[in-house]
Amino acid sequence: MNTQEKQILQRVADTIRVLSAEAIEQVNSGHPGLPLGCAEAGAVLFSRIMRHNPANPNWPGRDRFVLSAGHGSMLLYSLLHLTGFGLSTEQLASFRHLKSETPGHPELGETAGVEVTTGPLGQGLGMGAGMAVAQRLMDAQIGGGLFDGKVFVLASDGDMMEGISHEVGAIAGHLKLHPLVVLYDNNQICLDGPTSDCLTDDVLARFRAYGWKVNHVDGHDLEALETALVEARAERSQPTLISMRTVIGKGAPQKQGSSGVHGAPLGAEELARLKEGLGWPAEPFHVPAEVAAYFEERKAVFAGYEREWNEKLAALRAADPEKGKLYDTFAGRSLPADFDEQLWNAQVSAGKATRVMSGEMINHVARLIPFFYSGSADLSVSDNTAIKGMGTISPEDFSGRTFKFGVREFGMAAICNGMAAFGMVQPLCGTFFTFSDYMRNALRLAAIMRQRVIYQFTHDSIFVGEDGPTHQPIEHLASLRAMPGFTLFRPCDENELRASWIEAFKTQGPVALILTRQNLKSQGEASRANAREGVARGGYILHGESGDVDVLIAATGSEVEPAMGAARLLEAEGKRVRVVSLPSWQRFDAQDAAYRESVLGGQAALRVSVEAGATLGWHKYVGADGLTIGIDTFGASGNMKDLADYYGLTPEKIAGRIGSELAARAATAGR
């Protein structure tokens, strides 16, 4: 790097500083410390290292950038503005304003050049690792030098303190995930003060122990940064961590190096001092002419990266047309024309646990679509997520289809988010339903980003049995049902399961299949005739007729079977009973009023819900005076049959509760 190059890059860095500080000051909200401290790193990375083309932000062969420390979003927005991603000065001035392209934390889909939604610390590391995994998978399947890119992640001390950094760091090191490059903003200051108050472990030694290449540089030395990044790009045997010793808020004379600059605007006086120290004009959002000219010249270089990649793709198509077709299948995540029919007619083991049947469906799907990958948090032998006969992904071989994440649920979920956001693969991951708690924040980000990750959550109720309350989900259905954009399917038999799999691939956003440990009886022709449309619409009449009845029973999953048993007992007493299966509340609530009325409407002396979980939410279907049969306490360790009897979930106990309630109401009405 010659003197002239250093001068222009320093000018770029200072432009980032001023733009970031001004946008934050204008809205009187934001985090200037990181943008000011990492300005040199951003300048070098976006102008001289990354192979991207701002004129076409989504071309598949690009390098990716993930701002894991999403609070420093103005660093990214300033870079997107300068490099030509179409982010206007007006949008910088609208930072953190409602409906702007510059939200407080980067959001996928809101701003060109933003690869994933970040903010909850640590998850950007996981999603970056997921993108790097996708790079390796694509390289193994397609080849041709098309997927040799890098995923650059900018992480803060907060990212390193979050537990997910341990999970992701370990799995990335194990897999020798060389596309992953993490820039660690090691400024030794966090929001509450010096990191020495709460962070004294040796972060660099930790990552070395994971199997990473670790480098340490002066984060304000442009030449040292470029050298470290060039080395990281050439690395082909392990992930890279570049520790950058920076000064938080660099350039703000009274506040730099202090926690006060982390999460609060500089203030008018300090902003003026910053500009004065840099020799900057008072004009707001000023971009020096030489900086604008520099990036105008870089456009040809950026476009050249994409052109070279397109030439590689054309050469691959010419040399190997079948690989070219395979690339198109991955690029479009294209399903076979008869995909739905293939799934609906798939052979599964009726009468088994839905986890077993879904495991069979996973293998069927894997044979139909090559971009489908499945993994588990060390539970594949129990949650039935392994793809048989297609190999396990390993450090030496990414051609397999099954991913072993180890006992790392949170890291697994974040990695799968990154894989989905990469755009060419469809990930599924599995664990026991109760352990979805470990994944919760990553599930939420998947919903915010509307990324279709499929989750196979098994052992879905107290019927786990002897493992007891620590492993028996109670509140989990209600909790995930409350999450916007998150779709759950809890099938009652093989027909609802097949339909759930069909609908999973029609859903934009995350999908959870909530599955049993225990065997379930098939509902036979009743579900075979109605489940395909019924599951698509979230709920349907499984037994009985629409219109007026004596008792309406709504249930999901494994409780459909005892609900049907209770219905037969009540019918033997002369009562008219309708049984409704509601495998997906989200889908059912999205139907028009006429359909919902056709399923749940009509007069009923008593409306009842049956589910082996918290009753929260069921009253919207059975009414404020409806009977909710469920479990609003934690479970207990015991035999599955004993638990069903103890918690009142046998056909006899359900029918008894309903009979008692009807009698009590009749007595009250007769007074």
Side-chain angles (χ1 to χ4, degrees), residues 373-377 383 385 401-405 412 428-431:
Y373 293 86
S374 181
S376 178
D383 63 24
T385 51
R401 302 285 293 280
T402 298
F403 206 129
K404 291 188 176 182
F405 289 98
M412 171 178 73
L428 174 146
C429 61
T431 187

Side-chain angles (χ1 to χ4, degrees), residues 132-152:
V133 165
Q135 286 271 20
R136 294 295 313 274
L137 296 175
M138 292 298 297
D139 185 49
Q141 294 293 336
I142 307 299
L146 289 170
F147 294 96
D148 63 348
K150 293 288 182 176
V151 181
F152 297 96

